[in-house]
């Protein structure tokens, strides 16, 4: 009981403090479901599939979303924990914090992550971290599964995830000034996490403000069998946002977001065996975002609105590792020239990264006329690096001279990716044609130009980067059809293509990697995809069902191939990125909801994706297997789903929900790669049960409590590298004032 008590003690203290302010708490809207209304998620308005709002059922694309109320009830540590409840969405998970989104088997830079429509992806990284946005600041999350390059350009080849933060409101009509606010605390026992968030929202006539901040502290988490070392982290966040209504139709918004995390352990990358061990962590990971947005509405024009936005984003991180080798392991790990008498070597390595992004967006959207609606826009962004992607190694040889202490320390500074500027400029046009009340056609096109300039500079003593320039153009399009044979039934078909422009690592990386020494390839072509989706949205009364079947074909996928060694590799195996594979993914995704006897809500999701490499040459080159024209595509999750039953109290704002999550075993592992260590064991199928409940107190506070993994099951996410937490008691307490 030490774990639950350690979590409950601070929660109880904070609960008493919040109850103390009950007299000033307003009768805020309940966070829980409005049980007087039928199931309506099909009629939700979404903004991510296209660059303008439209009803969920009107979209020919595959979409899912999480509302603010759902996020409050799920109480995730980071946003990735909540996304696993959506069909077709998975996580590549190496720690509680280190989670990257996987859509239909694609991840990393092949999935575009946006914050309020502004890309988090850059031309430098391996894929963004949604954990850099604190969950209490999120108002809504929308996911588009399948290529979305018409709307957003590169990196949306697998889909897009849009994290929408809370908007600022000016004073209501007839009110000159006032202040609102909210506060939330919570935590979980298995994760040993505790944190809180608070915000104040003053308004003065046409001016509205939001000032928010919060923190989390998580210690090493517990699985049903052990405590996972090196899995803790700490973070804090802050935001200052403002809105000023210049007149009734012209609104100026600006804001600043800051996120700071430190000591983020990554146990999923660590290893340990006799004579050798290695641990990884982010010593710090910082993000800053500032934007200025001007929205103009036109009540008496054929235009609905125009938007002009500029934004600046900065990411800084230190990816740290420490390696401990005994003398017996020196030859295996290529350690030569150790001092006589050395019994072990400890290597500490920092990899610093500093990225600045400056971007702009201009968009015009027409009104929804009788026969059509359209939007046109221009996006521009530049990623600039400041020379801090540096590797520093410190070698400590112990046992030298008979003393087990730090001996000779050698420092070597290298740079694996050059400084440079990475520019993209794109223009898009999307429209809908309303042929009849039953038939709608949606079309879209985008053209983008890329220019990457990698500056000359040192790689290591005696080795230098050459000055390089890479240019590429990309064109994408989409065609969708929605047919409504009856008001509550919508059938859709959608064809779209997507692409991923090779990033700076693919083009220019020269340095040590997990497989050996890797060198870039400036001649790479963009990865390309064409996707075919058939969908159904059916919502008769208290029932809502949404489903999709899809087929996506890829070509020119980039992978690392073994090549002749280069001097910089110092004898390590050498690989180079190349456009090598053709592949395809196909599958089905369904989510459904039904209200029974008004007070009971049934929910369910199921998704299954299959991925295949369809190029015999790629299979032969990648895996050394000749004459085989089909092989499993790695990183594609197995069949998974969820079910839940929820009871909403008929006479009070309270609920109780019992749910389950399940996954079938991973039985389509990729072929073994020659010379690369790979786990070839199936991950077992699993089912986990959860229970949660919530109530709004008479004084206005909202309490949510629950138990995750009720049966204390040992299980692992399909794309995770470590077991999930065991039975965890969690809770949140929130209030509005």
């Amino acid at each position: 009981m030490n774990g639950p008590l350690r979590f409950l003690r601070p929660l109880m203290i904070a609960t008493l403090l919040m109850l103390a302010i009950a007299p000033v708490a307003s009768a805020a809207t309940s966070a829980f479901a409005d049980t007087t209304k039928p199931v309506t998620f099909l009629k939700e308005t979404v903004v991510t599939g296209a660059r303008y709002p439209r009803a969920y059922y009107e979209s020919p694309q595959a979409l899912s979303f999480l509302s603010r109320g759902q996020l409050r009830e799920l109480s995730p540590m980071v946003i990735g924990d909540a996304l696993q409840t959506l069909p077709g969405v998975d996580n590549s998970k190496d720690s509680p914090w280190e989670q990257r989104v996987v859509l239909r088997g694609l991840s990393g830079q092949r999935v575009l992550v946006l914050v309020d429509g502004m890309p988090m992806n850059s031309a430098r990284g391996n894929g963004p971290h949604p954990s850099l946005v604190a969950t209490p600041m999120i108002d809504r999350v929308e996911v588009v599964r399948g290529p979305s390059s018409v709307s957003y350009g590169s990196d949306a080849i697998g889909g897009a995830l849009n994290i929408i933060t809370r908007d600022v409101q000016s004073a209501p009509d007839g009110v000159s000034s006032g202040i609102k606010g909210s506060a939330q605390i919570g935590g979980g026992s298995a994760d040993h996490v505790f944190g809180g968030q608070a915000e104040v929202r003053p308004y003065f006539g046409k001016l509205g403000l939001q000032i928010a901040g919060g923190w989390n502290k998580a210690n090493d988490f517990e699985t049903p069998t052990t405590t996972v070392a090196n899995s803790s982290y700490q973070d804090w966040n802050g935001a200052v946002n403002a809105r000023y209504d210049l007149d009734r139709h012209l609104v100026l918004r600006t804001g600043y977001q800051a996120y700071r995390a430190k000591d983020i352990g990554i146990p999923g990358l660590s290893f340990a065996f006799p004579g050798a061990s290695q641990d990884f962590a982010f010593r710090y990971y910082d993000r800053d975002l500032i934007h200025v947005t001007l929205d103009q509405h036109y009540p008496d024009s054929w235009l609905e609105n125009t938007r002009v936005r500029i934004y600046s984003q900065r990411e800084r991180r230190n990816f740290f590792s420490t390696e401990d080798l005994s003398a017996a392991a020196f030859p295996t790990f290529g350690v030569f020239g150790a001092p006589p008498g050395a019994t072990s070597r400890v290597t500490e390595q920092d990899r610093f990264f500093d990225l600045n992004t400056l971007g702009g967006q201009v968009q015009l959207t027409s009104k929804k006329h009788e026969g059509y609606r359209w939007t046109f826009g221009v996006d521009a962004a530049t990623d600039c690096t400041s020379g801090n992607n540096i590797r520093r190694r410190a070698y400590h040889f112990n046992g030298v001279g008979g003393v087990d202490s730090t001996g000779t320390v050698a420092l070597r500074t290298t740079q694996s990716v050059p400084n440079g500027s990475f520019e993209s400029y794109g223009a898009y046009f999307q429209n809908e044609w309303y042929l009849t009340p039953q038939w709608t056609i949606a079309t879209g096109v985008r053209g983008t130009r890329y220019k990457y300039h990698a500056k000359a500079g040192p790689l290591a003593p005696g080795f230098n980067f050459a000055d390089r320039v890479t240019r590429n153009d990309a064109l994408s399009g989409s065609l969708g059809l929605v047919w409504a044979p009856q008001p509550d039934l919508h059938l859709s078909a959608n064809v779209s293509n997507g692409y991923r422009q090779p990033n700076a690592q693919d083009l220019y990386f020269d340095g040590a990697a997990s497989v050996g020494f890797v060198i870039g390839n400036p001649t790479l072509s963009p990865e390309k995809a064409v996707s075919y989706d058939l969908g159904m949205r059916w919502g008769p009364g208290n029932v809502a069902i949404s489903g999709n079947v899809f087929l996506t074909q890829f070509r020119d996928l980039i992978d690392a191939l073994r090549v002749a060694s280069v001097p910089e590799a110092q004898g390590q195996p050498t690989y180079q990125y190349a456009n090598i594979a053709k592949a395809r993914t196909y599958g089905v995704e369904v989510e459904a909801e039904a209200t029974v006897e008004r007070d009971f809500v049934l929910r369910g999701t199921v998704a299954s994706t299959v991925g295949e490499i369809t190029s015999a040459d790629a299979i032969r080159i990648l895996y050394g297997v000749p004459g085989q024209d089909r092989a499993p595509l790695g990183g594609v999750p197995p069949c998974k789903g969820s079910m839940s039953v929820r009871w909403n109290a008929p006479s009070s704002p309270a609920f109780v929900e019992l749910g389950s999550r399940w996954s079938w075993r991973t039985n389509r592992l990729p072929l073994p790669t020659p010379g690369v260590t790979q786990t070839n064991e199936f991950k077992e199928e699993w089912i986990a049960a959860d229970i949660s409940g919530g109530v709004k107190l008479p004084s206005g506070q909202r309490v949510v409590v629950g138990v995750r993994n009720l049966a204390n099951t040992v299980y692992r996410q399909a794309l995770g590298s470590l077991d999930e937490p065991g039975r965890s008691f969690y809770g949140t307490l929130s209030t509005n004032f």
Side-chain angles (χ1 to χ4, degrees):
M1 287 293 293
N2 284 341
L5 285 176
R6 189 162 57 244
F7 150 67
L8 290 173
R9 196 172 292 120
L11 183 59
M12 291 171 62
I13 295 172
T15 298
L16 294 174
L17 292 174
M18 280 199 176
L19 290 175
I21 65 171
V24 300
S26 64
T29 303
S30 172
F32 310 127
D34 182 353
T35 58
T36 65
K37 296 180 181 180
V39 174
T40 57
F41 84 85
L42 292 182
K43 297 182 180 180
E44 287 273 354
T45 298
V46 292
V47 300
T48 305
R51 295 287 286 263
Y52 54 85
R54 63 182 174 188
Y56 178 95
Y57 63 81
E58 292 178 341
S59 173
Q61 298 168 290
L63 293 159
S64 294
F65 61 86
L66 290 170
S67 68
R68 181 172 177 80
Q70 289 173 300
L71 290 172
R72 181 182 287 116
E73 293 177 14
L74 289 168
S75 303
M77 288 180 61
V78 296
I79 192 60
D81 292 328
L83 296 175
Q84 62 182 296
T85 64
L86 300 178
V89 185
D90 292 87
N91 284 326
S92 175
K93 184 175 181 180
D94 292 317
S95 79
W97 189 94
E98 169 78 357
Q99 301 187 39
R100 299 174 193 259
V101 181
V102 180
L103 299 182
R104 293 181 173 177
L106 297 186
S107 61
Q109 285 290 100
R110 293 171 176 141
V111 172
L112 181 66
V113 178
L114 307 139
V115 178
D116 297 323
M118 294 170 282
M120 287 183 70
N121 296 47
S122 73
R124 288 291 302 269
N126 291 321
H129 287 82
S131 302
L132 290 167
V133 183
T135 53
M137 297 181 65
I138 298 173
D139 189 65
R140 185 180 178 86
V141 178
E142 297 184 355
V143 179
V144 184
R145 304 184 297 274
S148 302
S149 291
V150 167
S151 294
Y152 302 106
S154 179
D155 300 347
I157 187 172
L161 170 77
N162 193 8
I163 301 171
I164 301 170
T165 61
R166 297 194 69 184
D167 193 12
V168 181
Q169 299 298 321
S170 54
D173 290 340
V175 178
S176 59
S177 64
I179 185 170
K180 295 182 179 181
S182 64
Q184 176 180 313
I185 57 169
S189 61
D191 302 296
H192 299 296
V193 62
F194 183 73
Q197 186 86 10
E199 68 168 357
V200 292
R201 304 167 70 87
Y203 48 87
F204 311 93
K206 296 181 178 181
L207 175 65
L209 300 173
Q210 178 203 39
I211 303 170
W215 90 101
N216 279 298
K217 179 175 173 55
N219 294 324
D220 292 343
F221 78 90
E222 297 177 5
T223 72
T225 59
T226 187
T227 298
V228 179
N230 191 39
S231 61
S232 62
Y233 73 91
Q234 300 178 56
D235 69 7
W236 67 267
N237 68 86
V240 178
N241 296 306
R243 166 182 173 151
Y244 187 77
D245 294 2
L246 298 169
D247 58 40
R248 292 184 59 190
H249 308 297
L250 182 60
V251 178
L252 175 67
R253 291 180 174 89
T254 185
Y256 170 69
Q257 298 176 14
Y259 180 89
R260 301 289 184 268
K262 68 176 184 177
D263 300 328
I264 303 170
I266 312 178
L269 298 183
S270 302
F271 67 82
F273 51 85
S277 65
Q278 190 163 21
D279 283 324
F280 295 86
F282 289 116
R283 280 192 160 174
Y284 62 80
Y285 207 136
D286 302 343
R287 173 179 176 266
D288 297 89
L289 172 69
I290 186 169
H291 73 89
V292 178
T293 305
L294 191 64
D295 285 315
Q296 172 76 62
H297 294 268
Y298 303 90
D300 302 318
S301 170
W302 52 272
L303 271 178
E304 174 71 24
N305 68 279
T306 58
R307 166 170 289 184
V308 178
R309 168 186 283 162
I310 57 173
Y311 63 91
S312 175
Q313 178 175 269
R314 185 184 187 188
E315 285 190 24
R316 297 174 63 251
R317 69 181 185 226
N318 177 6
F319 184 54
F320 173 80
S321 64
T322 178
E323 180 185 74
D324 194 341
L325 303 177
S326 67
F330 286 178
T332 303
F333 284 80
V335 179
F336 304 104
T343 59
S344 65
R345 187 191 77 174
V346 177
T347 305
E348 295 178 347
Q349 186 164 253
D350 298 276
R351 302 170 185 85
F352 299 99
F353 175 88
D354 196 341
L355 172 73
N356 293 275
T357 301
L358 179 64
Q361 299 172 339
V362 178
Q363 180 173 315
L364 295 79
T365 303
S366 78
K367 283 187 170 64
K368 189 174 182 178
H369 296 277
E370 182 177 343
Y372 66 90
R373 186 182 194 183
W374 60 262
T375 186
F376 168 79
V378 176
D379 298 329
T382 299
D383 295 332
C384 298
T385 56
S386 59
N388 288 335
N389 192 10
I390 298 171
R391 187 181 68 195
R392 179 191 64 83
R393 281 182 171 175
Y395 301 105
H396 309 266
F397 288 98
N398 298 325
V400 179
V403 179
D404 284 333
S405 60
T406 301
T408 304
V409 178
L411 297 177
R412 181 188 180 202
T413 300
T414 66
Q415 188 177 20
S416 57
V417 180
N419 299 335
S421 60
F422 310 92
E423 303 170 5
S424 65
Y425 308 93
Y428 59 90
F429 179 83
Q430 297 173 293
N431 74 328
E432 293 179 345
W433 299 97
Y434 309 113
L435 304 181
T436 71
Q438 289 77 37
W439 291 91
T440 301
I441 294 179
T443 61
V445 64
R446 169 186 281 263
T448 310
R449 166 155 291 189
Y450 297 91
K451 179 184 177 183
Y452 290 178
H453 179 201
K455 300 177 182 178
L459 169 64
F463 304 101
N464 289 278
F465 282 111
D467 196 81
R468 298 168 176 172
V469 175
T470 299
R471 292 182 175 88
N472 265 321
D473 295 329
L475 185 67
S476 57
S478 64
L479 175 63
L481 176 67
V482 179
W483 175 45
Q486 58 188 58
D488 57 10
L489 176 64
H490 292 76
L491 305 177
S492 63
N494 192 61
V495 180
S496 60
N497 73 328
Y499 60 90
R500 183 181 76 88
Q501 169 69 13
N503 59 29
Q505 176 166 301
D506 301 328
L507 297 167
Y508 308 126
F509 181 92
D510 288 319
S514 58
V515 297
F517 195 88
V518 174
I519 56 178
N521 183 355
T523 66
L524 289 172
S525 299
E527 297 179 326
K528 304 173 184 68
V530 178
S531 184
Y532 308 89
D533 267 80
L534 295 176
M536 179 193 72
R537 313 282 194 271
W538 184 48
N542 290 346
V543 176
I545 300 175
S546 173
N548 284 80
V549 294
F550 67 90
L551 167 66
T552 307
Q553 296 180 318
F554 305 93
R555 60 188 175 95
D556 293 330
L557 292 183
I558 296 171
D559 212 324
L561 304 182
R562 185 75 176 264
V563 295
S565 183
V566 295
E568 299 95 316
Q570 298 180 343
Q572 298 180 75
T574 303
Y575 296 81
Q576 185 175 40
Y577 294 107
N579 295 107
I580 182 63
K582 294 181 180 179
R584 67 184 179 193
T585 58
Y586 54 91
V588 60
E589 301 152 346
V590 178
E591 55 184 321
E593 189 173 296
T595 301
V596 180
E597 299 294 331
R598 177 180 167 181
D599 301 329
F600 290 89
V601 180
L602 311 179
R603 295 180 180 137
T605 68
V606 64
S608 181
T609 302
V610 176
E612 297 177 331
I613 298 176
T614 57
S615 167
D617 286 342
I619 296 169
R620 175 180 55 81
I621 296 172
L622 288 170
Y623 305 114
V625 179
Q628 183 171 327
D629 59 3
R630 296 288 185 275
L633 180 67
V636 177
C639 184
K640 72 158 197 173
S642 65
M643 295 183 64
S644 68
V645 179
R646 177 190 179 106
W647 174 70
N648 293 306
S651 58
S652 65
F655 78 93
V656 176
E657 184 165 339
L658 178 64
S660 65
R661 298 167 284 116
W662 55 270
S663 174
W664 194 244
R665 64 172 174 259
T666 305
N667 54 6
R668 288 181 56 80
L669 295 171
L671 300 175
T673 303
V676 178
T677 303
Q678 178 178 329
T679 301
N680 287 312
E681 297 179 357
F682 291 163
K683 291 182 180 176
E684 297 293 335
E685 62 269 21
W686 55 267
I687 183 169
D690 311 309
I691 187 169
S692 63
V695 64
K696 179 184 175 184
L697 303 177
S699 53
Q701 287 78 23
R702 294 177 296 274
V703 177
V704 175
V705 295
V707 184
R708 296 191 186 97
N709 195 3
L710 193 61
N712 207 31
T713 303
V714 177
Y715 72 100
R716 183 174 292 195
Q717 297 288 345
L719 303 177
S721 56
L722 65 165
D723 289 340
E724 290 293 301
R727 184 184 299 114
S728 182
F729 300 89
Y730 70 93
T732 62
L733 173 66
S734 59
T735 186
N736 290 348
F737 56 85

